[in-house]
Amino acid sequence: MAGANPTPEALQAFLDRLSAEIHERGDWGKVADYIPELADVDPAQFGIAVLLADGSMCSAGAARVGFSVQSISKVFSLACVLGRIGEQIWQRVGREPSGSRFDSILLLELEKGIPRNPFINAGALVVTDELLTGRTPRDALSEIIHFIRLAADDDDIHIDRAVAMSEQDTGDRNRALVNYLKSYGNLKNPVDYALGTYFHQCAIEMSCIQLARAGRVIAGLPGAPAILSPTRARRINALMLTCGHYDESGDFAFRVGLPGKSGVGGGLLIVAPGRASIAIWSPGLNDTGNSRAGTFAARRLAEFTGWSVFG
Ligand code: DON
């Protein structure tokens, strides 16, 4: 990545301006309503936190408000499974962008039960199923939470059980996906175990400050705990760049140029490898299920800093 990092003071002033600009625009999008517990969140909220390689944290807006990380948890479950079984996971899930929605079942039939990548729901369910092998759902969840708490150096990170239950009640598409995986022999554990664990990992709640800190290990920042090897971090980065925003991944790479992972709670984890870990939250979504104001803010931040994995 070319050029120097902005000073923390310059970055802080920029984030304050950006937060004001986002509120002035008022272009919030629509909150996810297929999980009833998320449908009640006020879309007109915005928070951002940027952890720089020198350890300084700059933030603006609602950066300390907790939100449901949803699919961003898939980055951390993948890190856990790579730590557990390494390359073997790639026998059960691919590494190609899907070009379809996060909950699509289309490719699963064509590709005989091997999901395209670990970030679409079908792929994340396989990763979670692998984490369950030889463990109870409680232990598998503890492993993911433990990894995140270590990464963030913060024990005050928890699961919002009301959100998990809300998804459990309405998660028919995920139920369909898991049963489909099972029919192709790509599920090792009981359907309800895989689903229950997945719904709970998606219901982890974090603020932007906590998520930016947890992202240190993915961004390879100095001082991050040694719980993910640099090679694995690079590979997770590659998957975030190519698959992190589902059918909007190409556009995000084109406009922002940094690996990122979105969640339907409106969160975004973005990494500038070796330079910064960035968390953005705004709960209103665009048509592809990614945060509307969050994606706009990511673009503005990339323009301001000049950060891009393409030089
Ligand atoms: O599986 C689901 O539908 C949710 N728990 C997570 C989906 C999600 O966050 C997709 N990301 N944009």
Side-chain angles (χ1 to χ4, degrees), residues 3 10 43 86 124 137 154 215 221 264 268 282 307:
D154 187 341
L221 299 189
V264 290
L268 275 173
S282 183
W307 291 333

Side-chain angles (χ1 to χ4, degrees), residues 146-193:
H146 185 67
F147 185 97
I148 294 175
R149 286 178 179 163
L150 268 180
D153 189 21
D154 187 341
D155 282 342
D156 195 17
I157 293 171
H158 306 278
I159 293 170
D160 183 333
R161 300 210 180 258
V163 172
M165 289 306 141
S166 185
E167 191 170 359
Q168 187 106 35
D169 290 342
T170 55
D172 295 322
R173 291 204 182 180
N174 286 318
R175 206 159 277 121
L177 289 170
V178 180
N179 280 292
Y180 221 74
L181 290 166
K182 186 179 173 202
S183 76
Y184 277 106
N186 198 6
L187 192 80
K188 296 182 178 173
N189 296 281
V191 163
D192 286 342
Y193 281 22

Side-chain angles (χ1 to χ4, degrees), residues 2-263:
N5 269 352
T7 62
E9 294 72 25
L11 181 61
Q12 184 58 54
F14 167 76
L15 296 184
D16 289 334
R17 285 198 305 276
L18 178 62
S19 177
E21 181 187 358
I22 300 264
H23 281 277
E24 272 160 35
R25 280 178 94 231
D27 185 13
W28 299 108
K30 201 171 157 296
V31 292
D33 53 8
Y34 74 101
I35 303 176
E37 198 72 19
L38 298 183
D40 294 337
V41 178
D42 175 7
Q45 301 185 75
F46 172 77
I48 185 165
V50 181
L51 178 65
L52 293 171
D54 69 1
S56 36
M57 176 74 83
C58 300
S59 66
R64 290 183 189 278
V65 176
F67 61 90
S68 191
V69 300
Q70 293 293 320
S71 285
I72 301 171
S73 67
K74 298 170 183 174
V75 172
F76 299 102
S77 56
L78 178 63
C80 289
V81 96
L82 287 171
R84 178 98 81 86
I85 62 160
E87 302 295 303
Q88 281 176 53
I89 188 64
W90 306 123
Q91 292 167 13
R92 299 186 60 192
V93 61
R95 299 183 298 258
E96 296 293 344
S98 71
S100 24
R101 274 184 68 79
F102 60 91
D103 55 2
S104 174
I105 201 165
L106 276 174
L107 292 167
L108 209 50
E109 177 166 21
L110 287 175
E111 296 173 358
K112 302 200 169 17
I114 304 293
R116 270 282 170 105
N117 66 66
F119 294 151
I120 51 171
N121 286 10
L125 285 158
V126 165
V127 167
T128 301
D129 178 57
E130 189 59 54
L131 280 177
L132 270 169
T133 301
R135 303 216 165 159
T136 61
R138 184 181 290 271
D139 288 346
L141 276 170
S142 294
E143 182 172 347
I144 301 170
I145 287 270
H146 185 67
F147 185 97
I148 294 175
R149 286 178 179 163
L150 268 180
D153 189 21
D154 187 341
D155 282 342
D156 195 17
I157 293 171
H158 306 278
I159 293 170
D160 183 333
R161 300 210 180 258
V163 172
M165 289 306 141
S166 185
E167 191 170 359
Q168 187 106 35
D169 290 342
T170 55
D172 295 322
R173 291 204 182 180
N174 286 318
R175 206 159 277 121
L177 289 170
V178 180
N179 280 292
Y180 221 74
L181 290 166
K182 186 179 173 202
S183 76
Y184 277 106
N186 198 6
L187 192 80
K188 296 182 178 173
N189 296 281
V191 163
D192 286 342
Y193 281 22
L195 282 172
T197 309
Y198 172 78
F199 292 148
H200 281 79
Q201 80 171 59
C202 287
I204 293 170
E205 185 175 299
M206 278 195 257
S207 67
C208 289
I209 302 256
Q210 289 173 319
L211 183 57
R213 285 187 62 79
R216 295 182 299 168
V217 296
I218 315 289
L221 299 189
I227 51 177
L228 184 69
S229 75
T231 305
R232 290 194 174 137
R234 275 197 292 275
R235 291 186 160 167
I236 292 175
N237 275 261
L239 290 167
M240 289 168 75
L241 188 76
T242 52
C243 315
H245 293 79
Y246 313 105
D247 42 341
E248 200 181 358
S249 299
D251 199 56
F252 193 87
F254 182 82
R255 291 180 190 274
V256 180
L258 296 170
K261 181 76 207 81
S262 63

Side-chain angles (χ1 to χ4, degrees), residues 257-280:
L258 296 170
K261 181 76 207 81
S262 63
V264 290
L268 275 173
L269 173 64
I270 303 170
V271 298
R275 293 207 175 215
S277 170
I278 302 146
I280 304 179

